[in-house]
Amino acid sequence: MTRVACIGECMIELRQAQGGQGGGLYSRGYGGDTLNTAVYLSRLGIDVDYITALGDDALSDEMIAGWAAEGIGTKRVARLPGKLPGLYLIQTDDKGERRFFHWRDSAAARNLMDLPETEDILNSLASYDIVYLSAITLSILQDVGRERLLTALKRARLLGTRFAFDTNFRARGWPDLNVARKVFSSAFEGADIVLASTEDLAPLYPGESTTALLAGISSPEVVLKLAEPACILRSTGGSGEVRAEPLTKPVVDTTAAGDSFAAAYLAARLGGAAPADAARAGHRLAGVVVCYPGAIIPRYAMPPKKAPRPSTSRKASS
């Protein structure tokens, strides 16, 4: 049985060539927060499906082929005739600072909750051990679609599925912060695991202390990543701080640090690790990822796998 489903959007990425300015050359790739997590979950030995909507174009075909090559299941990818994936462009200045430009208003993924196959997709969520999605996933859906997805997750939880929510917050996706706060509150109430950060939550709850931010998350298991290389963990077994080990290489690119942390944390929990050990695994993988350019590091750079303890049931690691 597939263990994890990741729900979200993957976009076409245009990245400015090193040293390029203005009308310089751009390289093409793909990117998406939940897709990055799916890749790292697969590399960590977890069976994972990616749930999204794409067009029927050659670029969408290329995406699916790439995901399959990473061992990610694509049977839940809806294909929409005449639609295209979203696109974003990264522009880098001479100091290495990056700016992002998005074209996603008519992207296929925005229609994921409004398709003939949507009901089958939502019913399938109960077949997974964990369903993982982020605030970006919810931001691309309309109100009705968000409610439909969160309601389906409630049903799936009654049958043993756990819901993991990542607070990956991007202000451009939430023009009304009151709407964002309402959606976050619903996700917190419905989630079994919340992977949060002070960086994500500070714009939503300005002036709140770390203690207050943590208290505002009602989920039974919470990882709150801090500005420094550490996180605060709260679970039924207690709470405390888990610090990352010092890096032995310079930081090159922080892209997908949070996505890879989430993958290693969830993989460890599925393997029976305690939350604190899972947080340490998250720190280790994120610490490797930030030492390489781009969201997905070379396969040879992946840390050695640690054999997980077998779980006796879907609830064994909760």
Side-chain angles (χ1 to χ4, degrees), residues 9 53-55 78 80 83-86 104 106-112 115:
E9 179 185 26
L54 291 174
L80 281 60
K83 281 287 189 178
L84 294 168
R104 71 194 315 182
S106 60
R110 288 181 172 267
N111 302 109
L112 182 61
L115 306 174

Side-chain angles (χ1 to χ4, degrees), residues 228-278:
E228 61 267 26
C231 66
I232 297 175
L233 180 68
R234 187 190 73 206
S235 67
T236 54
S239 62
E241 184 176 283
V242 179
R243 300 196 67 83
E245 297 176 2
L247 296 180
T248 58
K249 296 180 180 180
V251 174
V252 173
D253 187 347
T254 58
T255 302
D259 307 335
S260 57
F261 181 101
Y265 185 90
L266 295 177
R269 293 292 282 131
L270 280 168
D277 290 331

Side-chain angles (χ1 to χ4, degrees), residues 31 55 82 93 97 103 119 123 142 153 184 191 206 214 231 249 251 277 282 294:
D93 64 20
E97 296 296 328
W103 294 266
E119 196 61 28
N123 288 336
Q142 298 298 317
L153 286 167
F184 271 59
L214 194 61
C231 66
K249 296 180 180 180
V251 174
D277 290 331

Side-chain angles (χ1 to χ4, degrees), residues 74-86:
T74 60
K75 63 184 178 181
R76 302 294 181 191
V77 178
R79 304 298 298 270
L80 281 60
K83 281 287 189 178
L84 294 168

Side-chain angles (χ1 to χ4, degrees), residues 88-199:
Y88 67 96
L89 181 149
I90 303 175
Q91 188 178 67
T92 309
D93 64 20
D94 54 5
K95 296 180 180 179
E97 296 296 328
R98 301 188 301 171
R99 296 179 65 195
F100 293 84
F101 303 87
H102 289 78
W103 294 266
R104 71 194 315 182
D105 289 347
S106 60
R110 288 181 172 267
N111 302 109
L112 182 61
M113 291 295 108
D114 308 305
L115 306 174
E117 55 265 60
T118 297
E119 196 61 28
D120 287 340
I121 289 173
L122 294 178
N123 288 336
S124 77
L125 300 183
S127 68
Y128 297 95
D129 288 283
I130 292 178
V131 175
Y132 169 84
L133 57 85
S134 75
I136 293 179
T137 306
L138 297 176
S139 74
I140 67 172
L141 303 175
Q142 298 298 317
D143 290 343
V144 173
R146 282 193 288 259
E147 184 61 32
R148 192 176 183 186
L149 175 56
L150 292 172
T151 298
L153 286 167
K154 290 179 183 177
R155 293 198 304 266
R157 290 179 72 215
L158 294 175
L159 298 173
T161 296
R162 282 174 286 169
F163 167 31
F165 175 62
D166 194 311
T167 61
N168 202 358
F169 177 79
R170 297 294 180 269
R172 63 180 172 270
W174 301 97
D176 187 332
L177 291 184
N178 288 324
V179 172
R181 293 184 190 105
K182 181 179 178 180
V183 172
F184 271 59
S185 179
S186 295
F188 291 157
E189 291 175 5
D192 299 278
I193 301 171
V194 170
L195 297 150
S197 73
T198 53
E199 180 183 10

